[in-house]
Amino acid sequence: TQLLEQSPQFLSIQEGENLTVYCNSSSVFSSLQWYRQEPGEGPVLLVTVVTGGEVKKLKRLTFQFGDARKDSSLHITAAQPGDTGLYLCAGASGGSYIPTFGRGTSLIVHP
Amino acid sequence: EAGVAQSPRYKIIEKRQSVAFWCNPISGHATLYWYQQILGQGPKLLIQFQNNGVVDDSQLPKDRFSAERLKGVDSTLKIQPAKLEDSAVYLCASSLGYGANQPQHFGDGTRLSIL
């Protein structure tokens, strides 16, 4: 059983469209991190959210941490081909320092 | 700053053979992680070091996998003997401190194929 469930698993859209991907859990997380991984490379950290209800923006990307700190979302506005990649959420729950990753959402943005 | 270095980038071996991976973390980073990423899945933590001590190795198959970080800097991960299900990308990451909020910096991984 995955501690962090990500949806959708795959997403294929056209350039200019908006999209939202989700990261859900039944556990409370002290923080959640979002990474993007491109083929043949390691994941790169995009953002860390810590406070319930927190919203962070990174250019066209908007990250939200749920009030109960059990879920998070990533919204991309006007997607570009450069946004293509695997989006992973990660966190540690229950006071643990051991990070757990979700399975990721694979995004393809067509020009 | 130089990133996390891993070698080799690719390795192909037959089942029951041995293989070793090397990782050099970002200078000054105390925490080092080894992950296994099977195709279509997220990274799974195998072992976490704080300096040269093991913080967690609960998901490391200790009958065949071993890892060390003797001087608290670079690290090696070994598989002996390899099984078909070990085919995966092995990622090394490092972070400056220790804790759930610490951003992890990843290397590009070693892609292992078992024949």
Side-chain angles (χ1 to χ4, degrees):
Chain A
T1 304
Q2 284 283 90
L3 194 59
L4 286 168
E5 298 286 344
Q6 290 193 245
S7 61
Q9 189 174 354
F10 300 102
L11 198 52
S12 179
I13 63 172
Q14 294 297 125
E15 182 175 3
E17 292 184 19
N18 301 331
L19 67 117
T20 303
V21 298
Y22 301 92
C23 175
N24 296 297
S25 176
S26 57
S27 301
V28 175
F29 284 80
S30 58
S31 66
L32 274 178
Q33 298 175 332
W34 284 92
Y35 291 81
R36 180 170 66 216
Q37 184 177 22
E38 299 187 23
E41 299 182 9
V44 175
L45 180 68
L46 297 174
V47 77
T48 300
V49 286
V50 179
T51 306
E54 181 177 7
V55 176
K56 282 191 173 179
K57 292 192 175 184
L58 185 65
K59 296 183 181 179
R60 295 175 293 101
L61 278 60
T62 301
F63 303 86
Q64 187 162 4
F65 201 12
D67 291 340
R69 292 187 287 125
K70 291 183 177 182
D71 56 87
S72 181
S73 64
L74 159 58
H75 181 80
I76 301 179
T77 303
Q80 299 177 0
D83 296 327
T84 293
L86 179 68
Y87 288 82
L88 295 157
C89 65
S93 66
S96 169
Y97 288 100
I98 310 305
T100 300
F101 279 80
R103 294 174 77 106
T105 292
S106 181
L107 171 66
I108 298 175
V109 182
H110 300 278
Chain B
E1 75 186 349
V4 176
Q6 289 190 247
S7 66
R9 284 282 280 145
Y10 305 93
K11 191 72 178 179
I12 301 173
I13 63 172
E14 295 185 347
K15 60 183 179 182
R16 291 189 289 273
Q17 286 187 324
S18 302
V19 65
F21 314 124
W22 174 81
C23 172
N24 192 18
I26 292 174
S27 178
H29 279 198
T31 307
L32 185 147
Y33 312 79
W34 281 104
Y35 290 89
Q36 179 192 60
Q37 186 174 25
I38 293 173
L39 187 65
Q41 298 183 20
K44 182 181 87 170
L45 181 69
L46 294 175
I47 189 167
Q48 181 179 353
F49 291 95
Q50 176 76 2
N51 296 309
N52 61 347
V54 175
V55 173
D56 183 83
D57 62 358
S58 58
Q59 299 191 98
L60 187 74
K62 298 180 186 63
D63 58 333
R64 299 185 299 106
F65 286 64
S66 64
E68 59 184 15
R69 193 186 185 198
L70 292 175
K71 296 182 180 179
V73 181
D74 56 351
S75 176
T76 55
L77 175 69
K78 296 179 181 178
I79 307 176
Q80 179 180 11
K83 291 185 175 181
L84 292 175
E85 61 259 35
D86 298 332
S87 292
V89 175
Y90 290 84
L91 294 164
C92 178
S94 69
S95 62
L96 186 61
Y98 173 68
N101 292 353
Q102 291 293 315
Q104 296 182 54
H105 301 262
F106 283 83
D108 287 338
T110 296
R111 183 176 297 275
L112 175 65
S113 297
I114 311 295
L115 303 178

